[in-house]
Short mmCIF file of all heavy atoms in Angstrom, two decimals:
data_model
loop_
_atom_site.label_atom_id
_atom_site.label_comp_id
_atom_site.label_asym_id
_atom_site.label_seq_id
_atom_site.Cartn_x
_atom_site.Cartn_y
_atom_site.Cartn_z
N MET A 1 117.33 67.78 108.67
CA MET A 1 117.20 67.69 107.21
C MET A 1 116.15 68.70 106.74
O MET A 1 115.40 69.27 107.51
CB MET A 1 116.80 66.26 106.84
CG MET A 1 117.30 65.74 105.47
SD MET A 1 118.80 66.54 104.79
CE MET A 1 118.73 65.96 103.13
N GLU A 2 116.11 68.92 105.45
CA GLU A 2 115.15 69.90 104.91
C GLU A 2 113.71 69.47 105.15
O GLU A 2 113.43 68.27 105.25
CB GLU A 2 115.41 70.14 103.42
CG GLU A 2 115.08 68.97 102.51
CD GLU A 2 116.26 68.03 102.32
OE1 GLU A 2 117.26 68.17 103.04
OE2 GLU A 2 116.17 67.16 101.46
N SER A 3 112.82 70.45 105.25
CA SER A 3 111.45 70.12 105.64
C SER A 3 110.53 69.90 104.44
O SER A 3 109.39 69.51 104.61
CB SER A 3 110.89 71.24 106.51
OG SER A 3 110.86 72.45 105.78
N ASN A 4 111.04 70.16 103.23
CA ASN A 4 110.21 70.00 102.03
C ASN A 4 108.94 70.83 102.05
O ASN A 4 107.89 70.41 101.55
CB ASN A 4 109.88 68.51 101.78
CG ASN A 4 111.12 67.66 101.55
OD1 ASN A 4 111.20 66.55 101.99
ND2 ASN A 4 112.11 68.22 100.86
N ASP A 5 109.02 72.02 102.64
CA ASP A 5 107.88 72.93 102.65
C ASP A 5 107.48 73.34 101.23
O ASP A 5 108.35 73.54 100.38
CB ASP A 5 108.25 74.22 103.41
CG ASP A 5 108.01 74.10 104.89
OD1 ASP A 5 107.31 73.15 105.31
OD2 ASP A 5 108.51 74.96 105.63
N PHE A 6 106.20 73.50 101.06
CA PHE A 6 105.69 74.04 99.80
C PHE A 6 105.63 75.56 99.86
O PHE A 6 105.48 76.13 100.95
CB PHE A 6 104.27 73.52 99.54
CG PHE A 6 104.22 72.13 98.96
CD1 PHE A 6 104.20 71.03 99.80
CD2 PHE A 6 104.19 71.94 97.59
CE1 PHE A 6 104.15 69.74 99.27
CE2 PHE A 6 104.13 70.66 97.05
CZ PHE A 6 104.11 69.56 97.89
N PHE A 7 105.67 76.18 98.71
CA PHE A 7 105.39 77.61 98.61
C PHE A 7 104.64 77.84 97.31
O PHE A 7 104.71 77.03 96.38
CB PHE A 7 106.69 78.44 98.68
CG PHE A 7 107.72 78.06 97.68
CD1 PHE A 7 107.76 78.67 96.44
CD2 PHE A 7 108.63 77.05 97.96
CE1 PHE A 7 108.72 78.32 95.49
CE2 PHE A 7 109.59 76.68 97.01
CZ PHE A 7 109.63 77.32 95.79
N VAL A 8 103.92 78.96 97.29
CA VAL A 8 103.10 79.29 96.13
C VAL A 8 103.49 80.67 95.61
O VAL A 8 103.71 81.59 96.41
CB VAL A 8 101.60 79.31 96.52
CG1 VAL A 8 100.73 79.73 95.33
CG2 VAL A 8 101.15 77.97 97.05
N ILE A 9 103.62 80.79 94.32
CA ILE A 9 103.93 82.08 93.71
C ILE A 9 102.90 82.36 92.63
O ILE A 9 102.71 81.56 91.71
CB ILE A 9 105.34 82.06 93.09
CG1 ILE A 9 106.36 81.89 94.21
CG2 ILE A 9 105.62 83.34 92.31
CD1 ILE A 9 107.63 81.29 93.77
N LYS A 10 102.23 83.50 92.78
CA LYS A 10 101.29 83.92 91.74
C LYS A 10 101.84 85.17 91.07
O LYS A 10 102.07 86.19 91.72
CB LYS A 10 99.91 84.22 92.34
CG LYS A 10 98.93 84.66 91.27
CD LYS A 10 97.57 85.04 91.80
CE LYS A 10 96.70 85.49 90.65
NZ LYS A 10 95.37 85.92 91.10
N ALA A 11 102.06 85.09 89.77
CA ALA A 11 102.61 86.22 89.02
C ALA A 11 101.54 87.28 88.80
O ALA A 11 100.41 86.98 88.41
CB ALA A 11 103.16 85.73 87.69
N LEU A 12 101.91 88.53 89.06
CA LEU A 12 100.98 89.65 88.86
C LEU A 12 101.35 90.45 87.61
O LEU A 12 100.73 91.47 87.31
CB LEU A 12 101.00 90.56 90.09
CG LEU A 12 100.58 89.89 91.40
CD1 LEU A 12 100.68 90.87 92.56
CD2 LEU A 12 99.16 89.33 91.31
N GLU A 13 102.37 90.00 86.91
CA GLU A 13 102.75 90.62 85.63
C GLU A 13 103.43 89.54 84.79
O GLU A 13 103.81 88.48 85.30
CB GLU A 13 103.70 91.81 85.86
CG GLU A 13 105.03 91.42 86.46
CD GLU A 13 105.99 92.59 86.65
OE1 GLU A 13 105.62 93.73 86.30
OE2 GLU A 13 107.11 92.35 87.14
N ASP A 14 103.58 89.83 83.52
CA ASP A 14 104.28 88.89 82.64
C ASP A 14 105.77 88.88 82.97
O ASP A 14 106.34 89.90 83.37
CB ASP A 14 104.12 89.31 81.17
CG ASP A 14 102.71 89.07 80.64
OD1 ASP A 14 101.93 88.38 81.33
OD2 ASP A 14 102.40 89.58 79.56
N GLY A 15 106.38 87.73 82.81
CA GLY A 15 107.83 87.63 82.92
C GLY A 15 108.39 87.57 84.33
O GLY A 15 109.55 87.92 84.54
N VAL A 16 107.58 87.10 85.27
CA VAL A 16 108.11 86.91 86.64
C VAL A 16 109.04 85.69 86.63
O VAL A 16 108.71 84.64 86.07
CB VAL A 16 106.96 86.71 87.65
CG1 VAL A 16 107.50 86.28 89.02
CG2 VAL A 16 106.14 87.99 87.78
N ASN A 17 110.20 85.86 87.23
CA ASN A 17 111.18 84.76 87.28
C ASN A 17 111.22 84.11 88.66
O ASN A 17 111.32 84.81 89.67
CB ASN A 17 112.57 85.30 86.96
CG ASN A 17 112.86 85.24 85.48
OD1 ASN A 17 112.90 84.15 84.91
ND2 ASN A 17 113.03 86.39 84.87
N VAL A 18 111.15 82.80 88.66
CA VAL A 18 111.31 82.02 89.89
C VAL A 18 112.58 81.20 89.71
O VAL A 18 112.65 80.35 88.82
CB VAL A 18 110.10 81.09 90.12
CG1 VAL A 18 110.28 80.28 91.40
CG2 VAL A 18 108.81 81.88 90.15
N ILE A 19 113.56 81.51 90.51
CA ILE A 19 114.88 80.90 90.32
C ILE A 19 115.21 80.02 91.50
O ILE A 19 115.19 80.47 92.66
CB ILE A 19 115.94 82.02 90.17
CG1 ILE A 19 115.60 82.90 88.96
CG2 ILE A 19 117.34 81.44 90.06
CD1 ILE A 19 116.26 84.25 88.97
N GLY A 20 115.52 78.77 91.23
CA GLY A 20 115.89 77.83 92.29
C GLY A 20 117.39 77.82 92.49
O GLY A 20 118.15 77.79 91.52
N LEU A 21 117.81 77.85 93.75
CA LEU A 21 119.24 77.80 94.09
C LEU A 21 119.57 76.50 94.79
O LEU A 21 118.78 75.98 95.59
CB LEU A 21 119.62 79.00 94.97
CG LEU A 21 119.57 80.34 94.24
CD1 LEU A 21 118.26 81.04 94.47
CD2 LEU A 21 120.69 81.22 94.69
N THR A 22 120.75 75.98 94.49
CA THR A 22 121.13 74.65 94.97
C THR A 22 121.39 74.60 96.47
O THR A 22 121.85 75.57 97.07
CB THR A 22 122.41 74.17 94.26
OG1 THR A 22 123.43 75.15 94.44
CG2 THR A 22 122.18 73.96 92.80
N ARG A 23 121.09 73.45 97.03
CA ARG A 23 121.41 73.18 98.43
C ARG A 23 122.87 72.75 98.55
O ARG A 23 123.42 72.15 97.61
CB ARG A 23 120.49 72.06 98.95
CG ARG A 23 120.60 71.80 100.42
CD ARG A 23 119.59 70.75 100.87
NE ARG A 23 118.20 71.22 100.71
CZ ARG A 23 117.59 72.05 101.55
NH1 ARG A 23 118.21 72.51 102.62
NH2 ARG A 23 116.34 72.42 101.33
N GLY A 24 123.50 73.04 99.66
CA GLY A 24 124.87 72.57 99.88
C GLY A 24 125.89 73.68 99.85
O GLY A 24 125.54 74.86 99.83
N THR A 25 127.15 73.31 99.81
CA THR A 25 128.22 74.31 99.90
C THR A 25 128.29 75.19 98.67
O THR A 25 128.72 76.33 98.73
CB THR A 25 129.58 73.61 100.07
OG1 THR A 25 129.70 72.60 99.07
CG2 THR A 25 129.71 72.97 101.44
N ASP A 26 127.86 74.64 97.54
CA ASP A 26 127.92 75.39 96.29
C ASP A 26 126.52 75.97 96.00
O ASP A 26 125.61 75.23 95.62
CB ASP A 26 128.36 74.42 95.19
CG ASP A 26 128.46 75.07 93.84
OD1 ASP A 26 128.63 76.30 93.79
OD2 ASP A 26 128.37 74.35 92.83
N THR A 27 126.36 77.25 96.21
CA THR A 27 125.04 77.88 96.00
C THR A 27 125.00 78.52 94.62
O THR A 27 125.67 79.53 94.37
CB THR A 27 124.78 78.95 97.06
OG1 THR A 27 124.94 78.36 98.35
CG2 THR A 27 123.38 79.52 96.95
N ARG A 28 124.23 77.90 93.75
CA ARG A 28 124.14 78.44 92.38
C ARG A 28 122.73 78.23 91.83
O ARG A 28 121.96 77.40 92.33
CB ARG A 28 125.17 77.78 91.47
CG ARG A 28 125.03 76.29 91.47
CD ARG A 28 125.99 75.59 90.53
NE ARG A 28 125.89 74.15 90.71
CZ ARG A 28 124.89 73.40 90.26
NH1 ARG A 28 123.90 73.92 89.56
NH2 ARG A 28 124.86 72.10 90.51
N PHE A 29 122.42 79.01 90.79
CA PHE A 29 121.13 78.85 90.12
C PHE A 29 121.09 77.47 89.45
O PHE A 29 122.05 77.07 88.83
CB PHE A 29 120.98 79.89 89.00
CG PHE A 29 120.79 81.31 89.45
CD1 PHE A 29 120.98 81.70 90.76
CD2 PHE A 29 120.41 82.28 88.53
CE1 PHE A 29 120.81 83.01 91.16
CE2 PHE A 29 120.22 83.60 88.93
CZ PHE A 29 120.43 83.97 90.23
N HIS A 30 119.98 76.77 89.59
CA HIS A 30 119.87 75.51 88.84
C HIS A 30 118.62 75.45 87.98
O HIS A 30 118.50 74.59 87.11
CB HIS A 30 119.94 74.29 89.76
CG HIS A 30 118.75 74.14 90.65
ND1 HIS A 30 117.54 73.69 90.19
CD2 HIS A 30 118.58 74.38 91.97
CE1 HIS A 30 116.68 73.66 91.20
NE2 HIS A 30 117.27 74.08 92.27
N HIS A 31 117.70 76.37 88.23
CA HIS A 31 116.48 76.34 87.42
C HIS A 31 115.85 77.72 87.43
O HIS A 31 115.76 78.36 88.48
CB HIS A 31 115.49 75.32 87.99
CG HIS A 31 114.27 75.14 87.14
ND1 HIS A 31 114.18 74.17 86.19
CD2 HIS A 31 113.11 75.84 87.07
CE1 HIS A 31 113.00 74.26 85.57
NE2 HIS A 31 112.34 75.27 86.09
N SER A 32 115.40 78.14 86.26
CA SER A 32 114.70 79.42 86.18
C SER A 32 113.38 79.19 85.46
O SER A 32 113.35 78.61 84.37
CB SER A 32 115.56 80.41 85.40
OG SER A 32 114.86 81.62 85.27
N GLU A 33 112.31 79.58 86.10
CA GLU A 33 110.97 79.40 85.54
C GLU A 33 110.37 80.76 85.30
O GLU A 33 110.40 81.62 86.18
CB GLU A 33 110.14 78.62 86.58
CG GLU A 33 108.88 78.01 86.07
CD GLU A 33 109.12 76.87 85.09
OE1 GLU A 33 110.05 76.07 85.30
OE2 GLU A 33 108.35 76.79 84.13
N LYS A 34 109.83 80.96 84.12
CA LYS A 34 109.22 82.26 83.83
C LYS A 34 107.70 82.13 83.87
O LYS A 34 107.13 81.25 83.21
CB LYS A 34 109.69 82.75 82.44
CG LYS A 34 109.43 84.22 82.25
CD LYS A 34 110.29 84.81 81.13
CE LYS A 34 111.48 85.54 81.68
NZ LYS A 34 112.29 86.18 80.65
N LEU A 35 107.08 82.98 84.69
CA LEU A 35 105.62 82.95 84.80
C LEU A 35 105.03 84.19 84.16
O LEU A 35 105.55 85.30 84.33
CB LEU A 35 105.18 82.92 86.27
CG LEU A 35 105.73 81.83 87.17
CD1 LEU A 35 105.15 81.98 88.58
CD2 LEU A 35 105.40 80.46 86.62
N ASP A 36 103.91 84.03 83.46
CA ASP A 36 103.18 85.18 82.95
C ASP A 36 102.07 85.54 83.93
O ASP A 36 101.75 84.77 84.84
CB ASP A 36 102.64 84.88 81.55
CG ASP A 36 103.73 84.95 80.49
OD1 ASP A 36 104.72 85.69 80.72
OD2 ASP A 36 103.62 84.27 79.47
N GLU A 37 101.49 86.73 83.71
CA GLU A 37 100.47 87.23 84.64
C GLU A 37 99.39 86.19 84.90
O GLU A 37 98.90 85.57 83.95
CB GLU A 37 99.86 88.52 84.07
CG GLU A 37 98.93 89.19 85.06
CD GLU A 37 98.49 90.57 84.59
OE1 GLU A 37 98.95 91.03 83.53
OE2 GLU A 37 97.69 91.18 85.31
N ASN A 38 99.05 86.04 86.16
CA ASN A 38 98.03 85.10 86.64
C ASN A 38 98.46 83.64 86.59
O ASN A 38 97.66 82.77 86.93
CB ASN A 38 96.70 85.28 85.90
CG ASN A 38 96.04 86.58 86.29
OD1 ASN A 38 96.13 87.02 87.45
ND2 ASN A 38 95.40 87.25 85.35
N GLU A 39 99.66 83.36 86.20
CA GLU A 39 100.13 81.97 86.31
C GLU A 39 100.59 81.73 87.75
O GLU A 39 101.15 82.63 88.40
CB GLU A 39 101.30 81.71 85.36
CG GLU A 39 100.85 81.54 83.93
CD GLU A 39 101.95 81.07 83.00
OE1 GLU A 39 103.08 81.56 83.12
OE2 GLU A 39 101.66 80.21 82.15
N VAL A 40 100.32 80.52 88.20
CA VAL A 40 100.65 80.14 89.58
C VAL A 40 101.63 78.98 89.56
O VAL A 40 101.45 78.04 88.78
CB VAL A 40 99.36 79.73 90.33
CG1 VAL A 40 99.68 79.16 91.70
CG2 VAL A 40 98.42 80.92 90.48
N MET A 41 102.64 79.06 90.38
CA MET A 41 103.58 77.94 90.53
C MET A 41 103.52 77.45 91.97
O MET A 41 103.58 78.27 92.91
CB MET A 41 105.00 78.40 90.18
CG MET A 41 106.03 77.30 90.25
SD MET A 41 107.60 77.86 89.60
CE MET A 41 108.63 76.47 89.99
N ILE A 42 103.36 76.17 92.12
CA ILE A 42 103.39 75.54 93.44
C ILE A 42 104.63 74.66 93.45
O ILE A 42 104.80 73.83 92.56
CB ILE A 42 102.12 74.69 93.68
CG1 ILE A 42 100.87 75.55 93.52
CG2 ILE A 42 102.15 74.06 95.06
CD1 ILE A 42 99.58 74.75 93.41
N ALA A 43 105.53 74.90 94.40
CA ALA A 43 106.79 74.16 94.41
C ALA A 43 107.21 73.85 95.84
O ALA A 43 106.58 74.33 96.81
CB ALA A 43 107.87 74.99 93.71
N GLN A 44 108.24 73.08 95.96
CA GLN A 44 108.75 72.66 97.27
C GLN A 44 110.23 73.00 97.41
O GLN A 44 110.95 73.05 96.41
CB GLN A 44 108.67 71.14 97.40
CG GLN A 44 107.43 70.60 98.05
CD GLN A 44 107.46 69.10 98.04
OE1 GLN A 44 107.66 68.48 97.02
NE2 GLN A 44 107.27 68.50 99.20
N PHE A 45 110.67 73.15 98.65
CA PHE A 45 112.10 73.10 98.94
C PHE A 45 112.43 71.61 98.98
O PHE A 45 111.65 70.82 99.52
CB PHE A 45 112.40 73.79 100.26
CG PHE A 45 112.19 75.28 100.18
CD1 PHE A 45 111.06 75.86 100.71
CD2 PHE A 45 113.12 76.08 99.54
CE1 PHE A 45 110.85 77.23 100.61
CE2 PHE A 45 112.93 77.45 99.43
CZ PHE A 45 111.80 78.03 99.97
N THR A 46 113.52 71.27 98.36
CA THR A 46 113.85 69.85 98.19
C THR A 46 115.29 69.57 98.57
O THR A 46 116.03 70.48 98.96
CB THR A 46 113.67 69.43 96.71
OG1 THR A 46 114.70 70.06 95.95
CG2 THR A 46 112.31 69.79 96.16
N GLU A 47 115.67 68.35 98.36
CA GLU A 47 117.06 67.91 98.52
C GLU A 47 118.00 68.76 97.63
O GLU A 47 119.16 68.98 97.97
CB GLU A 47 117.11 66.44 98.10
CG GLU A 47 118.42 65.77 98.18
CD GLU A 47 118.36 64.38 97.53
OE1 GLU A 47 117.25 63.90 97.21
OE2 GLU A 47 119.45 63.79 97.34
N HIS A 48 117.47 69.21 96.49
CA HIS A 48 118.30 69.95 95.53
C HIS A 48 118.14 71.46 95.63
O HIS A 48 118.98 72.20 95.14
CB HIS A 48 117.95 69.51 94.11
CG HIS A 48 118.05 68.04 93.90
ND1 HIS A 48 119.26 67.39 93.93
CD2 HIS A 48 117.10 67.10 93.71
CE1 HIS A 48 119.04 66.09 93.75
NE2 HIS A 48 117.74 65.90 93.61
N THR A 49 117.03 71.91 96.23
CA THR A 49 116.70 73.34 96.24
C THR A 49 116.55 73.84 97.67
O THR A 49 115.66 73.39 98.40
CB THR A 49 115.36 73.57 95.50
OG1 THR A 49 115.47 73.01 94.19
CG2 THR A 49 115.03 75.06 95.41
N SER A 50 117.41 74.79 98.07
CA SER A 50 117.31 75.30 99.44
C SER A 50 116.88 76.76 99.47
O SER A 50 116.52 77.27 100.54
CB SER A 50 118.66 75.18 100.17
OG SER A 50 119.61 76.02 99.56
N ALA A 51 116.93 77.43 98.35
CA ALA A 51 116.55 78.83 98.31
C ALA A 51 115.93 79.15 96.97
O ALA A 51 116.19 78.47 95.96
CB ALA A 51 117.77 79.71 98.55
N VAL A 52 115.08 80.15 96.98
CA VAL A 52 114.39 80.56 95.76
C VAL A 52 114.42 82.07 95.68
O VAL A 52 114.21 82.76 96.69
CB VAL A 52 112.92 80.06 95.77
CG1 VAL A 52 112.15 80.61 94.60
CG2 VAL A 52 112.89 78.55 95.74
N LYS A 53 114.70 82.55 94.51
CA LYS A 53 114.72 83.99 94.27
C LYS A 53 113.58 84.32 93.31
O LYS A 53 113.43 83.66 92.28
CB LYS A 53 116.07 84.35 93.67
CG LYS A 53 116.22 85.78 93.22
CD LYS A 53 117.68 86.01 92.87
CE LYS A 53 117.85 87.25 92.03
NZ LYS A 53 119.28 87.55 91.81
N VAL A 54 112.79 85.31 93.68
CA VAL A 54 111.66 85.71 92.83
C VAL A 54 111.91 87.12 92.34
O VAL A 54 112.16 88.03 93.14
CB VAL A 54 110.33 85.67 93.60
CG1 VAL A 54 109.17 86.10 92.71
CG2 VAL A 54 110.08 84.28 94.17
N ARG A 55 111.86 87.29 91.03
CA ARG A 55 112.09 88.59 90.43
C ARG A 55 110.82 89.00 89.69
O ARG A 55 110.38 88.28 88.79
CB ARG A 55 113.27 88.50 89.46
CG ARG A 55 113.78 89.80 88.95
CD ARG A 55 114.96 89.55 88.04
NE ARG A 55 116.23 89.50 88.77
CZ ARG A 55 117.34 88.98 88.26
NH1 ARG A 55 117.32 88.43 87.08
NH2 ARG A 55 118.45 89.01 88.96
N GLY A 56 110.23 90.11 90.10
CA GLY A 56 109.02 90.59 89.44
C GLY A 56 107.86 90.70 90.41
O GLY A 56 107.97 90.35 91.59
N LYS A 57 106.76 91.20 89.89
CA LYS A 57 105.59 91.47 90.73
C LYS A 57 104.83 90.17 90.97
O LYS A 57 104.37 89.52 90.01
CB LYS A 57 104.71 92.48 89.98
CG LYS A 57 103.91 93.38 90.84
CD LYS A 57 103.32 94.50 89.99
CE LYS A 57 102.26 95.23 90.75
NZ LYS A 57 101.62 96.25 89.91
N ALA A 58 104.70 89.79 92.22
CA ALA A 58 104.10 88.50 92.52
C ALA A 58 103.61 88.46 93.97
O ALA A 58 104.07 89.22 94.81
CB ALA A 58 105.12 87.39 92.32
N VAL A 59 102.65 87.56 94.20
CA VAL A 59 102.27 87.23 95.56
C VAL A 59 102.93 85.90 95.90
O VAL A 59 102.86 84.95 95.12
CB VAL A 59 100.74 87.10 95.72
CG1 VAL A 59 100.38 86.69 97.13
CG2 VAL A 59 100.04 88.40 95.35
N ILE A 60 103.61 85.86 97.04
CA ILE A 60 104.35 84.67 97.46
C ILE A 60 103.79 84.20 98.79
O ILE A 60 103.72 84.99 99.74
CB ILE A 60 105.85 85.01 97.62
CG1 ILE A 60 106.41 85.56 96.31
CG2 ILE A 60 106.63 83.79 98.08
CD1 ILE A 60 107.71 86.33 96.48
N GLN A 61 103.38 82.96 98.83
CA GLN A 61 102.88 82.39 100.09
C GLN A 61 103.84 81.30 100.55
O GLN A 61 104.17 80.40 99.77
CB GLN A 61 101.50 81.77 99.89
CG GLN A 61 100.41 82.79 99.62
CD GLN A 61 99.07 82.12 99.37
OE1 GLN A 61 99.00 81.01 98.86
NE2 GLN A 61 98.01 82.81 99.73
N THR A 62 104.24 81.40 101.81
CA THR A 62 105.07 80.35 102.41
C THR A 62 104.49 80.04 103.78
O THR A 62 103.55 80.71 104.24
CB THR A 62 106.54 80.80 102.60
OG1 THR A 62 106.59 81.73 103.68
CG2 THR A 62 107.11 81.43 101.35
N SER A 63 105.09 79.09 104.46
CA SER A 63 104.63 78.77 105.82
C SER A 63 104.92 79.93 106.77
O SER A 63 104.42 79.96 107.89
CB SER A 63 105.30 77.49 106.31
OG SER A 63 106.70 77.65 106.24
N HIS A 64 105.74 80.88 106.34
CA HIS A 64 106.05 82.06 107.16
C HIS A 64 105.11 83.21 106.90
O HIS A 64 105.23 84.26 107.53
CB HIS A 64 107.50 82.50 106.94
CG HIS A 64 108.48 81.44 107.27
ND1 HIS A 64 108.84 81.13 108.57
CD2 HIS A 64 109.13 80.56 106.48
CE1 HIS A 64 109.69 80.13 108.54
NE2 HIS A 64 109.88 79.76 107.30
N GLY A 65 104.22 83.03 105.96
CA GLY A 65 103.26 84.09 105.66
C GLY A 65 103.21 84.41 104.18
O GLY A 65 103.79 83.71 103.36
N GLU A 66 102.47 85.48 103.91
CA GLU A 66 102.27 85.88 102.52
C GLU A 66 102.94 87.22 102.29
O GLU A 66 102.89 88.10 103.16
CB GLU A 66 100.77 86.01 102.24
CG GLU A 66 100.45 86.51 100.85
CD GLU A 66 98.95 86.50 100.56
OE1 GLU A 66 98.38 85.41 100.39
OE2 GLU A 66 98.36 87.59 100.52
N MET A 67 103.58 87.38 101.16
CA MET A 67 104.13 88.69 100.86
C MET A 67 103.88 89.07 99.42
O MET A 67 103.69 88.23 98.54
CB MET A 67 105.61 88.78 101.20
CG MET A 67 106.51 87.92 100.42
SD MET A 67 107.93 87.43 101.42
CE MET A 67 107.27 85.98 102.22
N TYR A 68 103.88 90.38 99.23
CA TYR A 68 103.65 90.97 97.94
C TYR A 68 104.97 91.52 97.47
O TYR A 68 105.60 92.32 98.18
CB TYR A 68 102.59 92.07 98.11
CG TYR A 68 102.30 92.87 96.89
CD1 TYR A 68 101.36 92.43 95.95
CD2 TYR A 68 102.95 94.08 96.67
CE1 TYR A 68 101.10 93.19 94.83
CE2 TYR A 68 102.68 94.83 95.55
CZ TYR A 68 101.76 94.38 94.62
OH TYR A 68 101.50 95.14 93.52
N ASN A 69 105.41 91.09 96.34
CA ASN A 69 106.69 91.55 95.80
C ASN A 69 106.43 92.54 94.67
O ASN A 69 105.77 92.20 93.69
CB ASN A 69 107.45 90.32 95.25
CG ASN A 69 108.92 90.58 95.08
OD1 ASN A 69 109.50 91.36 95.81
ND2 ASN A 69 109.53 89.93 94.13
N ASP A 70 106.91 93.78 94.83
CA ASP A 70 106.57 94.84 93.89
C ASP A 70 107.63 95.01 92.80
O ASP A 70 108.80 94.83 93.05
CB ASP A 70 106.42 96.16 94.66
CG ASP A 70 105.36 97.04 94.02
OD1 ASP A 70 104.90 96.69 92.92
OD2 ASP A 70 105.02 98.04 94.63
N1 LIG B 101 114.44 69.53 90.32
C1 LIG B 101 114.19 70.58 91.28
C2 LIG B 101 114.24 70.00 92.71
O1 LIG B 101 113.79 68.88 92.91
C3 LIG B 101 112.84 71.18 90.99
C4 LIG B 101 112.43 72.25 91.95
C5 LIG B 101 111.84 72.00 93.15
C6 LIG B 101 112.52 73.66 91.80
N2 LIG B 101 111.57 73.19 93.79
C7 LIG B 101 111.97 74.23 93.00
C8 LIG B 101 112.99 74.52 90.80
C9 LIG B 101 111.91 75.61 93.18
C10 LIG B 101 112.93 75.89 91.02
C11 LIG B 101 112.38 76.43 92.18
O2 LIG B 101 114.75 70.66 93.60
#
């Protein structure tokens, strides 16, 4: 089953999009969150969310490490 890992996204510019994609056979967007510069989102992978797409300049921390998205 899913591990419910947390991840952190810090926006480095205005208008960073954090998009949640559904778990299961049907993979689709179910939520889009817009972050402005210096806003931080702390979220989890859940029963409903198996993937996340980040669009924009941001620092992303997961259990697999930290990355900088340009
Ligand atoms: N209702 C969503 C869920 O429980 C909320 C959510 C959790 C979410 N993690 C997310 C939305 C990551 C976007 C990105 O799955």
Side-chain angles (χ1 to χ4, degrees):
M1 211 24 194
E2 69 270 11
S3 61
N4 298 142
D5 273 345
F6 279 89
F7 55 91
V8 177
I9 295 155
K10 180 183 179 182
L12 300 178
E13 65 178 359
D14 288 348
V16 170
N17 270 297
V18 180
I19 300 161
L21 291 96
T22 55
R23 187 175 296 281
T25 50
D26 180 24
T27 306
R28 56 177 174 74
F29 289 11
H30 69 75
H31 186 94
S32 178
E33 196 68 39
K34 196 160 260 183
L35 305 181
D36 284 333
E37 187 171 357
N38 291 324
E39 283 189 318
V40 173
M41 182 171 173
I42 303 166
Q44 266 177 308
F45 291 102
T46 69
E47 180 189 349
H48 305 292
T49 305
S50 66
V52 173
K53 173 170 163 174
V54 180
R55 190 178 273 163
K57 210 168 167 184
V59 177
I60 302 161
Q61 292 178 329
T62 73
S63 57
H64 301 282
E66 176 175 288
M67 65 211 87
Y68 175 86
N69 198 30
D70 213 351

